Amino acid sequence: MPRNGPARPDVPEQPAFVTEGLLHGTLVATPGGWRPVEGLAPGDLLLTFDGGPRAVVALQSAVVEAGPRHWPAARWPLQVPAGAMGNRWPLRLLPDQAVLLECDLADELFGDPFALIPAAALAGWRGMAPVPPRAVEAVVTPVLDCDEAIYAGGGALVWCPGEAAPGWSGLALVPPPRGEGRVGYAALSLASARQLVACLIAEDLGAALLRAAPWGGQAALRLAEP
């Protein structure tokens, strides 16, 4: 088929889908309270983790009609139960949307208590799991004047690109490497992020066993033995 020729009728068109950005319905923190991300406009202020209120300079949006049949299961959105990441309300995150975690384990493993990780790596921790996408999904990426983490879903920290962020191209956000950009948090690969999350799961399990066996840590550990 010629590069710019018409599509062949016997070759089904592959639907497009996106894997980062904020899904419609996601509530984000503003100085005036929580607002749905789809209701933002350039000039609106978002509350950021490091820089306080910052203005939205642009909004990138996309509508995806792939639906669960054509959206690869490995790239489905992640359902985040209320309270799993400091979020007051349930939250759905696209798999490559970067989230900011603060924990001692990140410091022990990677030398920084803050880590940017793709949401897909969180699957299996505190009830987080992939869920089928809706028939139509609308996605918005607020763009700020510099890279920032913003509050979503009542407290979770999600990454927002700056207009001059290295690697940023609309809805194809690549978190900047450590040391680049204003904030410079460690952006972990999916493999490293999964390593961190596996340790967090083990940490939660250990804490639960200790609570269940108040007569001693060694007895609690014996409960976990096969």
Side-chain angles (χ1 to χ4, degrees):
M1 182 180 71
R3 262 183 94 179
N4 298 319
R8 286 171 47 188
D10 58 333
V11 178
E13 182 180 353
Q14 294 298 315
F17 61 96
V18 295
T19 59
E20 51 201 328
L22 301 179
L23 293 163
H24 274 209
T26 301
L27 297 177
V28 292
T30 75
W34 295 93
R35 292 177 55 188
V37 68
E38 64 270 25
L40 296 176
D44 288 343
L45 295 177
L46 290 176
L47 296 181
T48 69
F49 183 60
D50 285 287
R54 287 199 172 270
V56 174
V57 298
L59 292 157
Q60 298 289 326
S61 61
V63 176
V64 185
E65 299 180 347
R69 287 185 57 196
H70 299 291
W71 197 309
R75 315 306 289 159
W76 281 4
L78 186 81
Q79 182 73 33
V80 181
M85 290 196 304
N87 51 308
R88 278 187 270 167
W89 310 296
L91 183 64
R92 289 189 312 139
L93 295 172
L94 290 174
D96 291 333
Q97 173 60 46
V99 300
L100 183 64
L101 292 184
E102 178 186 8
C103 59
D104 292 338
L105 280 171
D107 197 17
E108 293 173 18
L109 292 171
F110 307 109
D112 191 333
F114 294 96
L116 275 175
I117 73 171
L122 297 166
W125 183 41
R126 296 180 176 176
M128 289 180 265
V131 291
R134 297 167 184 167
V136 178
E137 294 281 16
V139 183
V140 175
T141 297
V143 182
L144 307 179
D145 61 343
C146 63
D147 307 327
E148 286 283 6
I150 66 170
Y151 298 90
L157 288 167
V158 299
W159 192 252
C160 255
E163 56 184 341
W168 179 73
S169 57
L171 287 168
L173 167 64
V174 177
R178 182 173 173 78
E180 296 185 22
R182 177 182 168 277
V183 178
Y185 294 116
L188 301 184
S189 67
L190 181 59
S192 293
R194 283 178 170 157
Q195 178 189 1
L196 172 61
V197 170
C199 292
L200 290 170
I201 292 171
E203 184 178 62
D204 282 358
L205 176 61
L209 288 172
L210 287 172
R211 289 193 299 270
W215 54 87
Q218 291 299 318
L221 290 174
R222 284 196 294 272
L223 289 177
E225 294 176 358

